[in-house]
Amino acid sequence: MRTLTLRRSTRWLASILLTISVVLVGIAWYGGSSPAKADDNPGSAQGLGQLSGLLPRNNLVLESALQVDLTQETVRLPLYKGTANGHSVWFILTEASDAGLARNSGLNYAPKLANIAISCAACVQTVTLDSPTPDANKFGPAVVHFQGEPDFTPTRTCVPGPNGFPPASFSPGAVAGPGYSPFIRIAGSDVVYNAPIVATGDGPFDVTTHTNTGDRVLGIHIAPPPPPGQFLDSWVDLLLVKGFDAGQPILYLSTEAGDPLAAVLERSVYVPALANAAYNGGDDFLGSARERLFGFINGQTGANNPQAQGFRNIALNGHAAEDASATNTALINGLRNGGDLLNVFGDFPTLKDPRHADAYSPLWDAQLGQWTQKAIDLGLDKRQIDENVVFNLAATRPDLITGPGGAPYGSVGIDINCAVIGFTNDPPTANLVAPAPNSQFPPR
């Protein structure tokens, strides 16, 4: 598995290695990753919002979520039973491509998912539903029969490199089996749902080393048969990810990735087929199933640094080499207090402009930025929190930010399945700045 992993990630890993050499020179010159002084930069850090307790329900965008516990850094979602290859699997639901059905089930509306199979038939799997008798199902969901499932038996590894990131070696903790995609279409329907499988079998469930669960699964409850006239939820607790959208701190899940190194960093299932989903650099153009995510390779680091962000940050402060579990409080607290990737998202369901709210998709096309030596020397390598600010920088200041290894800024060919959960301060409603002329802003 490691040989496959390294080969498929060679191109952008090589760029990252070059980046780190640039970063180390910058750190030696600049004196480390200490917080830069505040200024009028609209992309500078503005906090992570609520950090403990239960998130108020009016801060949720995924309305089906049962609770968000910010002290434990988890979201509790309803868990549904399915089958694959003759045994039980357990899945969650986060998005639907139809507005009415999404609203009916408390899911995020993601119309772009209707494009998921363009040029990639393997990116969506057709499933079937049981047709139970009234005696067999007085009230509740039907069992879903999947064609494929993830293999959770591999051991996730992430051996730190000399400077934390890039890793010296790595391998995903879960890999798609034949026919698996988290995106499903029920036979007889055109609607596409995001339905990641997060556990297999009938228990006991390994929520420590994750031999039969996803690497973000921290707890599972399978409901007993309900008393007459009642319904009881099964549920799963999943480790959250922090990020930003339109200047506001947000929460999301990461469940699958089309690149093995991304799958390791995101603690998600490696699904090679997703690399072919429509399409690299597509964003809001015709036929695209993707939305943009903005990550940073060589952002600042430091557990108490409000400007920290990116790959080196999660490697050094987010316990990336360790298994996630409810008992690993050092990992949970590290991520909770800013040790995460802290990616910047594009369109979000709460944006006031319907064009942008309805352009949301959980399939994120990664745009990875590298701060230049000049940006580091001037202390401009600050935490970013708004997509317009990022691509305005890329368009007008290529002397400050580029793609990996100095490449042109834009898509790097990595996509990640990340469903948004909610926001921890105010809802994202509009970008902080207008797009600069000729920036990478979708055409009207």
Side-chain angles (χ1 to χ4, degrees):
M1 177 58 62
R2 184 170 298 166
T3 301
L4 172 65
T5 298
L6 290 170
R7 184 170 66 248
R8 287 186 179 270
S9 292
T10 296
R11 183 173 61 182
W12 76 287
L13 183 58
S15 297
I16 290 168
L17 287 166
L18 175 61
T19 296
I20 296 303
S21 67
V22 173
V23 170
L24 294 178
V25 173
I27 289 174
W29 179 264
Y30 186 56
S33 294
S34 58
K37 293 181 180 179
D39 61 12
D40 294 330
N41 176 11
S44 64
Q46 295 181 8
L48 299 172
Q50 182 181 342
L51 292 176
S52 61
L54 296 181
L55 186 72
R57 289 205 62 83
N58 59 6
N59 283 42
L60 293 173
V61 295
L62 185 62
E63 294 180 357
S64 59
L66 302 175
Q67 70 174 33
V68 170
D69 186 337
L70 295 170
T71 303
Q72 300 301 319
E73 200 74 350
T74 57
V75 58
R76 178 168 294 176
L77 296 181
L79 188 64
Y80 303 101
K81 186 174 184 178
T83 67
N85 300 311
H87 59 84
S88 298
V89 298
W90 302 88
F91 67 98
I92 59 175
L93 286 168
T94 56
E95 278 84 17
S97 62
D98 178 86
L101 293 176
R103 190 160 48 247
N104 177 68
S105 299
L107 308 180
N108 297 320
Y109 174 44
K112 283 182 179 177
L113 290 184
N115 295 330
I116 190 72
I118 294 175
S119 74
C120 184
C123 287
V124 59
Q125 63 168 312
T126 300
V127 302
T128 60
L129 286 178
D130 263 354
S131 182
T133 66
D135 287 340
N137 185 33
K138 293 299 183 184
F139 178 81
V143 174
V144 176
H145 302 289
F146 290 82
Q147 296 183 43
E149 63 183 311
D151 178 6
F152 293 121
T153 60
T155 299
R156 177 185 176 274
T157 64
C158 186
V159 178
N163 304 294
F165 187 88
S169 63
F170 59 92
S171 56
V175 179
Y180 177 69
S181 169
F183 301 107
I184 66 170
R185 183 185 291 119
I186 301 169
S189 172
D190 292 329
V191 177
V192 176
Y193 293 90
N194 191 8
I197 293 174
V198 297
T200 59
D202 292 306
F205 295 104
D206 178 4
V207 295
T208 303
T209 58
H210 307 290
T211 54
N212 59 359
T213 65
D215 287 324
R216 289 188 174 273
V217 173
L218 303 192
I220 288 181
H221 167 74
I222 304 301
Q230 296 186 27
F231 176 76
L232 303 176
D233 273 310
S234 295
W235 50 257
V236 57
D237 284 342
L238 294 154
L239 183 67
L240 288 163
V241 193
K242 292 186 186 297
F244 295 95
D245 192 283
Q248 294 295 331
I250 63 167
L251 303 169
Y252 64 98
L253 282 178
S254 186
T255 51
E256 285 84 17
D259 177 88
L261 180 52
V264 171
L265 295 176
E266 298 278 348
R267 301 181 185 273
S268 60
V269 179
Y270 173 38
V271 184
L274 292 185
N276 300 317
Y279 49 88
N280 292 319
D283 193 49
D284 296 345
F285 289 97
L286 179 66
S288 174
R290 305 188 191 189
E291 181 52 35
R292 286 183 293 184
L293 173 152
F294 304 86
F296 297 86
I297 295 170
N298 61 335
Q300 293 188 31
T301 65
N304 298 310
N305 184 354
Q307 304 294 348
Q309 183 175 45
F311 295 147
R312 292 191 71 240
N313 184 50
I314 195 172
L316 295 173
N317 304 304
H319 300 258
E322 302 171 20
D323 286 327
S325 69
T327 59
N328 190 344
T329 55
L331 180 148
I332 290 170
N333 288 331
L335 295 173
R336 187 168 66 89
N337 290 297
D340 221 326
L341 289 165
L342 303 178
N343 293 320
V344 178
F345 277 30
D347 292 323
F348 195 82
T350 60
L351 295 174
K352 286 185 176 179
D353 185 341
R355 178 193 180 278
H356 292 293
D358 291 347
Y360 164 76
S361 172
L363 189 62
W364 299 92
D365 186 20
Q367 329 276 292
L368 300 183
Q370 169 187 323
W371 294 107
T372 66
Q373 185 63 55
K374 180 178 180 179
I376 296 170
D377 291 347
L378 295 175
L380 299 177
D381 54 336
K382 296 180 178 182
R383 179 185 292 173
Q384 299 299 305
I385 59 176
D386 179 84
E387 69 163 337
N388 281 14
V389 173
V390 175
F391 59 61
N392 284 1
L393 274 172
T396 65
R397 299 300 305 269
D399 58 324
L400 299 181
I401 192 168
T402 69
Y409 191 85
S411 174
V412 297
I414 296 170
D415 56 350
I416 311 161
N417 184 19
C418 298
V420 296
I421 303 299
F423 48 91
T424 58
N425 192 30
D426 293 326
T429 57
N431 290 112
L432 299 182
V433 298
N438 300 318
S439 65
Q440 293 178 351
F441 188 75
R444 286 293 186 264

